[in-house]
Amino acid sequence: MAGSEEEVKLFGSVGSPFVIRVQIALKLKGVEYNYQEETLGSLSDTLLKFNPVYKMVPVFLHKGKPISESLVILEYIDETWKHNPILPSDPYQRAMARFWSKFIDDKCVAPAWKSAFMIDEKEREKAAEELFEALQFLENELKDKKFFGGEEFGFVDIAALFIPLFKEVAEFKLFTSDQFPKLYKWSQEFYNHPVVKENMPSKDQLFGYFKARSATLAASRK
Amino acid sequence: MAGSEEEVKLFGSVGSPFVIRVQIALKLKGVEYNYQEETLGSLSDTLLKFNPVYKMVPVFLHKGKPISESLVILEYIDETWKHNPILPSDPYQRAMARFWSKFIDDKCVAPAWKSAFMIDEKEREKAAEELFEALQFLENELKDKKFFGGEEFGFVDIAALFIPLFKEVAEFKLFTSDQFPKLYKWSQEFYNHPVVKENMPSKDQLFGYFKARSATLAASRK
């Protein structure tokens, strides 16, 4: 394998929220890395070798060893570069951060995807209802905190970036300041965070990613 | 809330593999706990208060604070009682343990469930194919190791207990010593581990759980 023993490399696709999670974590830690752009639907042999299970970005490479799954990568980054912690130090708060991040992946990301891109209207409506219910849980969890973990931007905020990004592309009517005032306020704090600002793709890049991802998903269902 | 500040309590249902995961972890750590049996389909108000999101067992209670999601509970237990570690100490090995445990939940548990209990034959066959493919990845991952993490019984073994338990109930023809010799050998090592032996439900209890779970799932689809 080329590159030094200490090389940090990220295989991503511009506009992928899962990849942006990793980029934000690396930026928070100040870790320099090489970036390799992958084309959805035509992934490199290296990517497929590193992630034979899911055949997806992101793949994170450190000291020649690959890791996939964005939340798993975030935990690795937090354990490897210990300054500027992403997870809280208290075991119960850590458990809550893991719980809500998993909740976001299981209960928000999948229905958000369906409610934005499914062709069948009934399925789309059902997904929108599921998403509405899930966002209500997140709204309640935010309480009056600035970020999910409190004053500090952290693990759950990074996991939840899917929500404002998706909103930008799909223009959900669901997610308004009236219905989810706390999530709305959070999304503003989120966008205002300096590390987030630096790492946000343009709207065109986001659209490009969602279109390509939607096409590869449709192809996999055939 | 009743009970002392340090009270450890587990809300479970006999025969639930997710609950057994937590019981095995507590046994490995030698942590004493109170157990409260919950009836699927008629959960207690306390359980619903502690797990309003998923309305499921297990719920783990420590110092009056509830945690749900079995893998999140395992990480909490490992961080709170540090002796007899369940996760490896090396960050990369920890990432791999998290990756494979998530893989088991996403790619094995759901299709195993469907292939055993779905009524529609086409869906059942599709799920069986998915499960076969997923088990192949686990077979390759085991290599010639005694347990998933090597010589020591750990996180992924606990996560993977779903596989031998499911096999016992559903009597998969998929999972034979011929097709998956390493998984087969692992499942024997698994059953021979003293902590596993002590915590295994009877076949009747397993059947009871799977039947009840299947009924509550069917009811939720209506």
Side-chain angles (χ1 to χ4, degrees):
Chain A
M1 204 169 303
S4 82
E5 265 297 288
E6 290 297 325
E7 188 188 27
V8 180
K9 192 165 180 173
L10 176 63
F11 296 76
S13 290
V14 167
S16 158
F18 299 108
V19 174
I20 299 169
R21 281 178 175 171
V22 180
Q23 289 175 308
I24 287 181
L26 290 168
K27 197 81 194 174
L28 280 169
K29 297 284 185 180
V31 173
E32 299 289 325
Y33 61 98
N34 292 318
Y35 176 82
Q36 179 167 320
E37 177 70 10
E38 290 283 337
T39 308
L40 297 189
S42 165
L43 299 165
S44 72
D45 289 346
T46 313
L47 189 284
L48 295 174
K49 189 184 86 185
F50 285 152
N51 189 2
V53 175
Y54 295 105
K55 301 178 177 67
M56 284 199 300
V57 291
V59 165
F60 184 71
L61 193 72
H62 185 217
K63 300 182 182 180
K65 291 176 180 168
I67 307 174
S68 43
E69 293 282 304
S70 64
L71 297 180
V72 175
I73 298 170
L74 291 194
E75 293 236 23
Y76 176 81
I77 290 172
D78 208 32
E79 291 184 350
T80 303
W81 295 277
K82 293 188 193 295
H83 57 283
N84 303 344
I86 298 171
L87 275 166
S89 58
D90 172 70
Y92 186 74
Q93 294 307 324
R94 292 166 74 83
M96 290 301 98
R98 291 187 181 116
F99 175 86
W100 287 111
S101 305
K102 184 175 188 299
F103 174 83
I104 287 162
D105 274 3
D106 292 350
K107 298 291 177 187
C108 300
V109 172
W113 196 266
K114 284 184 191 166
S115 75
F117 296 107
M118 286 291 261
I119 295 163
D120 182 275
E121 198 175 334
K122 266 196 179 167
E123 285 193 60
R124 221 166 54 215
E125 277 175 21
K126 197 177 158 227
E129 278 171 33
E130 281 175 35
L131 179 60
F132 188 89
E133 197 185 327
L135 292 178
Q136 193 63 61
F137 276 112
L138 290 180
E139 176 82 4
N140 295 343
E141 173 57 20
L142 266 169
K143 302 182 187 86
D144 290 311
K145 297 177 288 188
K146 183 174 176 184
F147 293 114
F148 279 95
E151 278 304 301
E152 293 298 318
F153 182 83
F155 200 80
V156 183
D157 303 298
I158 300 175
L161 66 78
F162 218 100
I163 298 167
L165 288 192
F166 227 108
K167 181 177 178 291
E168 193 147 322
V169 179
E171 285 161 21
F172 287 144
K173 281 170 197 150
L174 275 176
F175 185 20
T176 65
S177 56
D178 289 349
Q179 288 172 304
F180 297 107
K182 288 169 186 179
L183 266 177
Y184 187 78
K185 191 161 163 284
W186 168 81
S187 73
Q188 289 178 314
E189 297 283 2
F190 173 84
Y191 274 117
N192 281 332
H193 192 283
V195 168
V196 172
K197 267 187 194 158
E198 275 176 49
N199 281 275
M200 279 301 111
S202 70
K203 204 158 178 167
D204 276 358
Q205 287 174 325
L206 272 179
F207 265 110
Y209 167 79
F210 279 85
K211 219 171 134 184
R213 179 95 176 100
S214 180
T216 55
L217 280 181
S220 76
R221 276 198 295 269
K222 273 173 195 163
Chain B
M1 203 169 306
S4 82
E5 265 297 287
E6 291 297 323
E7 187 189 25
V8 180
K9 190 164 182 174
L10 176 63
F11 296 76
S13 290
V14 166
S16 157
F18 299 109
V19 174
I20 300 168
R21 281 178 175 170
V22 179
Q23 290 175 307
I24 287 181
L26 290 168
K27 197 79 195 175
L28 280 170
K29 297 284 186 181
V31 173
E32 298 290 326
Y33 61 98
N34 291 317
Y35 176 82
Q36 179 167 320
E37 177 70 10
E38 291 282 338
T39 309
L40 297 188
S42 166
L43 299 165
S44 72
D45 290 345
T46 312
L47 189 284
L48 295 174
K49 188 184 87 183
F50 285 152
N51 188 3
V53 175
Y54 295 105
K55 302 177 177 68
M56 285 198 299
V57 291
V59 165
F60 183 72
L61 194 72
H62 184 216
K63 299 181 181 180
K65 291 177 180 168
I67 308 174
S68 43
E69 293 281 304
S70 63
L71 297 180
V72 175
I73 298 169
L74 292 195
E75 293 235 24
Y76 176 82
I77 290 172
D78 208 32
E79 291 184 350
T80 302
W81 295 277
K82 293 188 193 296
H83 58 282
N84 302 345
I86 298 171
L87 275 166
S89 57
D90 172 70
Y92 186 76
Q93 294 308 325
R94 291 166 74 84
M96 290 302 97
R98 292 186 179 117
F99 175 86
W100 286 112
S101 304
K102 184 174 187 300
F103 174 84
I104 287 162
D105 274 3
D106 293 350
K107 298 291 177 186
C108 301
V109 172
W113 197 267
K114 285 183 190 166
S115 75
F117 296 108
M118 286 289 262
I119 295 162
D120 183 274
E121 197 175 333
K122 266 196 180 167
E123 285 194 59
R124 221 168 54 216
E125 276 175 22
K126 197 177 156 227
E129 278 171 33
E130 281 175 34
L131 179 61
F132 188 89
E133 197 185 329
L135 292 178
Q136 193 62 62
F137 276 112
L138 290 180
E139 175 82 4
N140 295 342
E141 173 56 20
L142 267 170
K143 300 181 189 90
D144 290 312
K145 297 177 288 189
K146 182 174 175 185
F147 293 114
F148 279 96
E151 278 305 301
E152 293 299 319
F153 182 81
F155 200 81
V156 182
D157 302 298
I158 299 175
L161 66 77
F162 218 102
I163 299 167
L165 287 192
F166 228 108
K167 181 178 178 293
E168 194 147 319
V169 180
E171 285 161 20
F172 288 143
K173 281 172 197 150
L174 275 175
F175 187 19
T176 64
S177 56
D178 289 348
Q179 287 172 304
F180 297 107
K182 289 169 186 177
L183 267 176
Y184 187 79
K185 192 161 163 282
W186 167 81
S187 72
Q188 290 178 311
E189 297 283 3
F190 173 84
Y191 275 117
N192 280 333
H193 192 283
V195 168
V196 172
K197 267 187 195 160
E198 275 177 50
N199 280 275
M200 278 302 109
S202 71
K203 204 158 179 166
D204 276 357
Q205 288 173 324
L206 272 179
F207 265 109
Y209 167 79
F210 279 84
K211 219 172 135 182
R213 177 96 176 100
S214 180
T216 55
L217 280 181
S220 74
R221 275 197 295 270
K222 270 174 195 164

